[in-house]
Every structure is written in structure tokens, then in C-alpha cells.
């Protein structure tokens, strides 16, 4: 990755515990199984793809290979903040339309404003991805700013309980630093479920109420975790963009999603330019991670060295051909492992439908187009392996011996 995404991936993380033997999560119901192309970054981030090009695999790639997982975490946390804002507005919509004695004369006006919003459960992609999504986000931010001003004018009476609100629960989850047995950061708990984005939260339950103060806490957590100089997981943004965000939150008191739009689009474009091509190359054209590739390189070199050494020794000792047949073993291992190293793919495991997401941990290849692509590539690599291996074996078995 270029200097846009610098390595800040060694800092502590706060993701919830992951099941010990978990592969990639089950595919969401809106996955397009007829897609006859590689997915886009937006499709991956919106959980519209399956292993090995799903969001879980992209997170692991950003953490282990790009060392820039902070940028992805920032994008996901801003998206979660937008979902929290939409959940808050959805509760306002319910209170306006069902029982709104406390709003008095402003109820009809607020209801009309809320009815202009898009579905609160729509996925929050990049703010420039679609015009209707951008307009909806702008309306949402405008309403939240106006609602905050009205609260301040009315004395700022805000019922907020840090123990019962949904936003405080999510903020608490951000603060923990969960690591696996080997010390590496665990993937986000949101990979196991879509949370607010799927609209599965029971808003009628008092334990899942979103207060306006929760939006403020969420915005401040993003600011203090990723954006302030010297913060725990600081990401690199243009100074002008950073100053605008800090001034909007700390001086203007804003907590609407539009505050982070420019930074969210910037990180999306940076990941799309610097990280995503490598991710597709790693997962759609291969099925191995760098440690496995290195191990195969060592085994391949040792196998070929042993094959050549034993082959020349048997030739100059004039050993019979049935003894030289043992050369099949080192030459086969050597050629197979070096071919796997060269093309970053284990052809047999690829044909069986497996892709490696961490060292010696495998998941099923479920994306149809990637499965077909890997099958073709694996067949080609396997054919080259057999051709080179047979040529070496025949050469060293059938060449006339000469005793020295």
C-alpha cells in the first residue's frame, strides 16, 4: 500500500471475542450468486459477497498483510455511527406517528421532515456512491442539526441512561481490547451479524433505546480513537479535512453523519486504490497467505535440491532404473511446492474448494465466479506441475548410468 494507508495496524483493538474455529460467516440473503465478475469494494463492505472475497476476509487481509486495518475500522465505525443516527430517527418517526404529546405544535412539521428520509435500514455506503443515498444522508444530517438546536433552545432536556441505551452499549464494545491467543487482533463482532444495518434491533425494548447523547458519544469516540493527533489508532488524513472535523465536533457540537462524509470517502478511495486490488489478486487468483507461500518455497527448494543431488548420485553410481524411481518423490514435491509459490495457489486445495484466510486455517470458496476462476487457474498450474515433473523424472530415470 502507498503512504496514504500507513502502517498503524499494531495498536490494540477492541473487537469482541470470535469463536475459536470460525471461518467466514454465512452469506447474507442479498448476495448476488449470478454475478459473473469480481466484486467491487462497495459490494464487499456492504456484505454482498461470499468467501473468500467477503468482508471477513478483507478485514483479515487488511490486518495481516496490509497492516492498515485502522482505516477499515474507521470506515466501519463511521458506517455504524450512521446506522445509530438512522435508528435514532426511526424512533423519532415512531414517536411522531404514534404518540407525540410532548412535541405539541411541532409534531406535524417533524413528521413531514421524517417522512422524507429513505429507509433507515438501507446500507450506508460511500456518501458519493448514489445521488439518492447522498440526498438522504444530507436530509438526515440536516434534521439532526435542527433537532439539536431545538433541544438547546428548549433547555437541553435529554433523557440519557448510559446503562440502558443502545449507543452506550456499542461505545462500550469499542473500548475493550480483545486479542486472540497469539496476540493478534480479533475481527469485529459485527461480522457475525449485521446489527443495526439489518434492522434486527427491537426498538420497542427499553434496553435498546437510542438517546441523542448516544450520538454525541459515538461521534466523540470516532474522533478520539482515529482522528486526533496521537490518538490510539490515528489514521492519516489531509490536515484541512481533519481540522474541519475537529471543529465541527468540538466547537460546533455536531454529531450528525455528514461530519465524517469527507473522511469516509477519502478512506474508501484510499482502500479502493491501494488495498483492494491486492486483496482481489490474493483471494481471486490464489488461495494461500504469505506464510504458507514462504513455507512452500522452502519445501520446493529443498525438494528440488534433494532430487537433483540424489539423481546425479544414482546416475554416477550406475544404479538400476527401479531404484531411480524413488526420484519421483523429491521432484514431485519440489516442483509442486515451487509452482504453488510462483502462482500463490495450491492447485489441489483450490480444486477441492478451499482458500486460506490465516496460516493453516481454511474456509470454503463460496463465491461462484471466484470458484470458477480458481478452478481454471489451479488446472493450469497443476498441468504445468505435471509436465515439468514428468520431464525431470524421465530425464533422471532413463539417462544411461556411468560408474565413476
Amino acid at each position: 500500500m502507498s503512504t496514504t494507508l500507513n502502517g498503524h495496524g499494531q495498536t490494540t483493538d477492541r473487537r469482541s471475542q470470535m469463536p475459536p474455529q470460525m471461518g467466514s460467516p454465512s452469506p447474507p440473503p442479498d448476495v448476488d450468486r449470478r454475478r459473473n465478475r469480481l466484486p467491487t469494494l462497495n459490494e464487499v463492505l456492504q456484505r454482498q459477497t461470499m468467501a473468500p472475497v467477503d468482508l471477513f476476509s478483507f478485514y483479515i487481509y487488511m490486518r495481516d498483510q496490509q497492516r492498515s486495518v485502522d482505516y477499515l475500522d474507521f470506515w466501519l465505525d463511521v458506517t455504524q455511527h450512521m446506522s445509530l443516527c438512522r435508528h435514532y430517527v426511526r424512533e423519532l418517526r415512531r414517536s411522531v406517528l404514534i404518540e407525540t404529546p410532548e412535541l405539541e405544535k411541532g409534531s406535524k412539521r417533524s413528521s413531514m421532515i421524517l417522512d422524507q428520509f429513505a429507509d433507515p435500514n438501507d446500507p450506508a455506503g460511500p456518501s458519493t456512491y448514489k445521488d439518492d443515498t447522498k440526498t438522504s444522508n444530507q436530509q438526515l444530517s440536516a434534521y439532526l442539526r435542527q433537532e439539536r438546536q431545538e433541544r438547546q433552545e428548549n433547555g437541553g432536556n435529554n433523557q440519557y441512561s448510559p446503562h440502558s441505551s443502545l449507543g452506550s452499549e456499542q461505545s462500550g464494545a469499542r473500548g475493550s481490547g480483545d486479542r486472540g491467543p497469539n496476540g493478534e487482533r480479533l475481527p469485529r463482532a459485527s461480522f457475525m451479524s449485521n446489527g443495526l444495518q439489518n434492522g434486527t434491533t427491537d426498538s420497542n425494548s427499553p434496553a435498546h433505546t437510542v438517546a441523542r447523547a448516544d450520538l454525541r458519544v459515538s461521534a466523540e469516540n470516532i474522533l478520539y480513537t482515529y482522528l486526533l493527533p496521537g490518538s490510539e489508532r490515528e489514521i492519516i488524513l489531509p490536515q484541512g479535512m481533519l481540522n474541519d472535523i475537529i471543529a465541527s465536533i468540538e466547537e460546533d457540537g455536531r454529531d450528525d453523519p455528514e461530519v465524517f462524509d469527507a473522511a469516509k470517502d477519502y478512506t474508501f478511495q484510499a482502500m479502493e486504490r491501494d488495498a483492494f486490488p491486492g486483496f482481489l489478486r490474493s483471494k481471486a487468483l490464489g488461495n494461500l497467505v504469505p506464510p504458507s507461500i514462504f513455507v512452500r518455497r522452502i519445501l520446493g527448494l529443498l525438494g528440488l535440491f534433494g532430487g537433483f543431488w540424489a539423481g546425479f548420485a544414482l546416475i554416477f553410481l550406475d544404479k538400476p532404473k527401479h531404484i531411480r524411481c524413488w526420484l519421483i518423490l523429491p521432484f514431485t514435491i519440489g516442483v509442486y511446492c515451487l509452482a504453488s509459490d510462483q502462482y500463490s495457489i495450491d492447485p489441489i486445495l483450490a480444486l477441492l474448494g478451499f482458500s486460506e484466510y490465516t496460516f493453516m486455517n481454511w474456509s470454503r470458496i463460496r463465491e461462484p465466479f471466484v470458484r470458477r476462476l480458481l478452478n481454471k487457474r489451479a488446472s493450469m498450474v497443476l498441468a504445468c506441475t505435471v509436465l515439468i515433473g514428468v520431464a525431470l523424472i524421465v530425464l533422471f530415470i532413463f539417462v544411461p548410468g556411468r560408474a565413476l
Side-chain angles (χ1 to χ4, degrees):
M1 226 171 166
S2 69
T3 55
T4 305
L5 296 184
N6 303 63
H8 292 282
Q10 292 91 359
T11 55
T12 57
D13 190 21
R14 66 272 189 270
R15 302 304 169 198
S16 300
Q17 186 69 27
M18 179 181 64
Q21 301 297 329
M22 187 187 76
S24 59
S26 58
D30 58 346
V31 169
D32 184 6
R33 298 177 181 270
R34 298 171 297 176
R35 181 171 42 231
N36 196 31
R37 56 171 175 78
L38 292 175
T40 63
L41 176 59
N42 187 65
E43 290 172 337
V44 172
L45 294 177
Q46 302 307 329
R47 298 174 174 87
Q48 297 174 3
T49 56
M50 295 182 288
V53 289
D54 56 344
L55 181 55
F56 177 87
S57 300
F58 185 55
Y59 190 94
I60 297 297
Y61 175 83
M62 292 288 288
R63 184 193 69 184
D64 295 344
Q65 298 187 39
Q66 286 297 124
R67 303 293 181 182
S68 300
V69 73
D70 292 342
Y71 289 84
L72 177 57
D73 272 333
F74 169 76
W75 195 95
L76 294 172
D77 280 350
V78 171
T79 302
Q80 188 178 30
H81 175 70
M82 178 174 291
S83 298
L84 192 67
C85 293
R86 292 184 176 186
H87 189 77
Y88 172 75
V89 171
R90 183 173 58 206
E91 291 186 345
L92 288 182
R93 178 198 298 266
R94 182 176 293 107
S95 66
V96 167
L97 298 180
I98 297 178
E99 187 176 2
T100 58
E102 69 280 2
L103 294 181
E104 297 178 351
K105 297 181 180 180
S107 61
K108 293 183 180 180
R109 177 182 55 81
S110 300
S111 178
M112 293 174 60
I113 295 176
L114 291 173
D115 285 339
Q116 295 176 359
F117 296 152
D119 184 2
N121 297 326
D122 285 343
S127 61
T128 57
Y129 190 70
K130 292 190 300 183
D131 291 339
D132 55 349
T133 301
K134 183 177 181 179
T135 302
S136 174
N137 294 341
Q138 290 175 344
Q139 291 176 341
L140 175 65
S141 298
Y143 176 79
L144 290 175
R145 289 195 298 269
Q146 180 179 357
E147 196 259 351
R148 178 179 58 83
Q149 293 175 357
E150 292 178 354
R151 282 177 177 270
Q152 291 176 347
E153 293 173 358
N154 294 333
N157 185 17
N158 200 0
Q159 300 296 328
Y160 170 57
S161 173
H163 300 288
S164 62
S165 61
L166 176 60
S168 60
E169 291 175 3
Q170 294 176 348
S171 301
R174 289 194 192 98
S176 61
D178 292 326
R179 288 180 173 264
N182 55 356
E184 65 183 11
R185 280 184 290 193
L186 297 175
R188 303 168 59 98
S190 59
F191 292 144
M192 300 302 296
S193 63
N194 289 348
L196 289 175
Q197 291 181 349
N198 281 348
T200 56
T201 305
D202 183 8
S203 301
N204 295 324
S205 172
H208 294 283
T209 299
V210 179
R212 183 58 195 259
D214 294 328
L215 306 186
R216 178 70 181 176
V217 171
S218 176
E220 289 179 344
N221 280 339
I222 295 174
L223 175 66
Y224 299 149
T225 303
Y226 300 102
L227 302 179
L228 289 182
S231 57
E232 178 187 4
R233 306 180 63 192
E234 181 184 1
I235 62 175
I236 306 301
L237 296 176
Q239 191 61 40
M241 182 185 303
L242 186 61
N243 292 338
D244 290 342
I245 296 175
I246 295 176
S248 297
I249 295 178
E250 294 192 334
E251 298 178 10
D252 301 338
R254 291 178 56 184
D255 52 23
D256 54 279
E258 198 173 358
V259 172
F260 301 106
D261 271 356
K264 183 181 179 183
D265 291 340
Y266 181 86
T267 56
F268 180 89
Q269 294 168 8
M271 290 188 295
E272 188 175 44
R273 179 184 65 249
D274 299 331
F276 194 63
F279 171 71
L280 290 180
R281 188 163 51 248
S282 172
K283 297 301 180 181
L285 299 179
N287 67 337
L288 298 176
V289 295
S292 290
I293 295 174
F294 179 76
V295 169
R296 282 164 172 77
R297 182 182 307 161
I298 298 300
L299 292 177
L301 292 175
L302 291 176
L304 282 186
F305 174 79
F308 281 115
W309 180 84
F312 282 113
L314 293 176
I315 289 175
F316 290 121
L317 291 175
D318 197 16
K319 295 296 181 180
K321 292 182 176 58
H322 71 275
I323 295 181
R324 296 191 202 178
C325 287
W326 286 102
L327 295 174
I328 296 176
L329 184 61
F331 278 130
T332 301
I333 294 176
V335 173
Y336 183 87
C337 289
L338 284 183
S340 298
D341 165 59
Q342 180 67 28
Y343 295 98
S344 302
I345 185 174
D346 189 304
I348 293 180
L349 290 173
L351 291 174
L352 291 176
F354 289 97
S355 179
E356 190 177 32
Y357 60 93
T358 58
F359 184 62
M360 298 304 294
N361 290 313
W362 303 85
S363 63
R364 281 282 183 181
I365 302 173
R366 303 185 184 277
E367 185 74 20
F369 180 76
V370 173
R371 178 67 184 271
R372 294 193 299 269
L373 195 62
L374 285 176
N375 284 344
K376 293 178 182 179
R377 189 172 173 85
S379 300
M380 182 270 293
V381 173
L382 197 58
C384 293
T385 300
V386 171
L387 182 62
I388 298 174
V390 169
L392 290 172
I393 292 169
V394 169
L395 176 64
F396 280 90
I397 289 180
F398 292 100
V399 67
R402 181 182 178 86
L404 297 179

